[in-house]
Amino acid sequence: MTTTGRLPRARSTGSPGSSPRRVPVGVLLAVSTVLAVVVLLPDRLGLDRVLPFAVFAALRPDLAVGIGVVALVLLVLRRRWWPLLVPALVVAVVAGALVVPRAVARPAPPPGGTQLTVLELNAFEGHADVRTIADLARAQHADLVVLPESGERMRARLAALLPEYRTWTNVPPGAPDVRGIVVAAAPRAGAVTARPLDGDTRYPWAEVTGGILGPTRLVAVHLVSIVPSWVRYWPGELEGLAQWCAPGGDPTPAMIVGDFNATPDHSAFRTGTAGCTDAATATGESLVPTWHSGFPRWFGAQIDHVLTRPGADATGPRARSTEVIAVPGSDHRALLTRLRLQP
């Protein structure tokens, strides 16, 4: 017997080769939201104290712009992808809203008081071009120069080029430059003194007092980097800054200057510096990166800071302007801060 008709097709039973089932929209929305929050807002989840989330927090301004732009472009080109793109775009907008105020300058301090200019630069294990540092200090009339990752070798070279400045380092001769901080004071700074500061930190810090500073204490710091071998110490060192920043603590005004390896997007930074004002934030320059100098100026993180805290009587240092300046030989850029010491 012959057949002239075709056999009916069997219905798909989910065997290999069948078309995959679609993922529910709710699942896509949830996954996209979680991923975006983890990358752009890790500090809100308490994740920014460990790697890689600490790095994500440091780069939040750049990541927010990048993810937001990519999500918006793809949303125009691939509207069917909206369950993945819309949450990422919304979280990017929220993250951007958190950092934009740092680009808006606050009212300038009132006139009067003593002008103070501070130049800070991580000298990259003493490899920063010392002649550029000396020329910059002299040209900008820097009263105080603070150079993390500098030891006796850098101090001696700088002193030879700036004989009118007095110089100190907080590490003994022979110590690696990466461990030390060099401080230099111009003649105008008067009878300032510098000394090593005891504390539970991986790198020693220094304290500068007297002279032009009056009652203000300046603490020169270098906090540990966000790398696997050091990151476990990093939050504690940041929170240790509270001894100078916390309201109700030391009644004298204070400044903290140096390489913090952190930004205001890190929760430990915000906790430790509560009560202090970041000079770059106050002057609208907080989003200009000081690291890495090899990247374009629009990408990176401002991890060098000048923090100020008024005394109990509301007197003390207040920032007037902040400028980020490239210096050959260092992976950081210099931070030039002009302040008024209110009487």
Side-chain angles (χ1 to χ4, degrees):
M1 184 176 65
T2 61
T3 59
T4 56
R6 294 183 180 179
L7 293 175
R9 290 184 179 180
R11 294 183 179 180
S12 174
T13 59
S15 59
S18 62
S19 59
R21 295 180 179 179
R22 291 187 177 182
V23 179
V25 170
V27 173
L28 295 177
L29 287 170
V31 170
S32 179
T33 301
V34 169
L35 289 176
V37 169
V38 164
V39 172
L40 294 176
L41 303 172
D43 55 314
R44 308 298 160 166
L45 302 176
L47 298 174
D48 64 318
R49 294 167 175 259
V50 297
L51 293 171
F53 307 105
V55 177
F56 294 161
L59 298 176
R60 175 149 67 198
D62 300 313
L63 291 174
V65 172
I67 291 175
V69 169
V70 170
L72 185 60
V73 170
L74 289 178
L75 190 59
V76 172
L77 299 177
R78 296 288 188 271
R79 294 184 180 180
R80 289 183 297 178
W81 295 0
W82 71 265
L84 290 173
L85 299 174
V86 169
L89 182 59
V90 170
V91 175
V93 170
V94 172
L98 292 175
V99 301
V100 165
R102 305 211 306 266
V104 179
R106 302 174 187 176
T114 302
Q115 296 190 26
L116 175 69
T117 300
V118 177
L119 176 65
E120 185 276 341
L121 170 71
N122 181 309
F124 189 40
E125 301 180 8
H127 296 306
D129 186 78
V130 67
R131 184 168 295 279
T132 300
I133 297 172
D135 291 345
L136 188 59
R138 189 175 283 122
Q140 298 296 334
H141 306 288
D143 300 302
L144 296 171
V145 180
V146 177
L147 303 175
E149 294 199 20
S150 300
E152 175 59 27
R153 184 175 64 94
M154 172 64 82
R155 188 209 64 78
R157 294 162 62 202
L158 187 66
L161 294 172
L162 290 175
E164 69 273 28
Y165 279 64
R166 290 187 298 138
T167 57
W168 301 265
T169 181
N170 64 339
V171 292
D177 282 293
V178 69
R179 293 196 52 78
I181 299 175
V182 165
V183 175
R188 180 177 174 272
V192 299
T193 59
R195 67 178 184 88
L197 196 60
D198 295 329
D200 185 20
T201 58
R202 310 285 78 73
Y203 300 122
W205 297 354
E207 181 184 56
V208 184
T209 55
I212 194 173
L213 293 171
T216 301
R217 299 171 61 194
L218 187 152
V219 181
V221 302
H222 180 202
L223 283 76
V224 292
S225 304
I226 309 175
V227 295
S229 57
W230 293 109
V231 70
R232 66 184 183 274
Y233 303 110
W234 173 73
E237 290 195 354
L238 285 169
E239 292 170 358
L241 300 173
Q243 61 186 298
W244 296 285
C245 286
D250 191 333
T252 59
M255 296 176 60
I256 311 176
V257 180
D259 176 8
F260 291 65
N261 278 305
T263 78
D265 292 307
H266 290 113
S267 58
F269 179 92
R270 296 194 298 269
T271 299
T273 63
C276 279
T277 298
D278 181 14
T281 298
T283 56
E285 298 294 330
S286 179
L287 302 185
V288 182
T290 58
W291 182 92
H292 186 287
S293 63
F295 298 154
R297 285 179 69 93
W298 51 264
F299 183 83
Q302 187 173 116
I303 59 176
D304 298 82
H305 302 277
V306 172
L307 303 180
T308 64
R309 192 210 65 195
D313 55 359
T315 62
R318 292 186 60 182
R320 294 173 50 228
S321 66
T322 304
E323 184 179 359
V324 176
I325 304 172
V327 174
S330 176
D331 57 346
H332 287 238
R333 298 183 181 95
L335 192 64
L336 181 72
T337 306
R338 302 189 189 278
L339 310 101
R340 288 188 186 277
L341 295 170
Q342 299 296 332

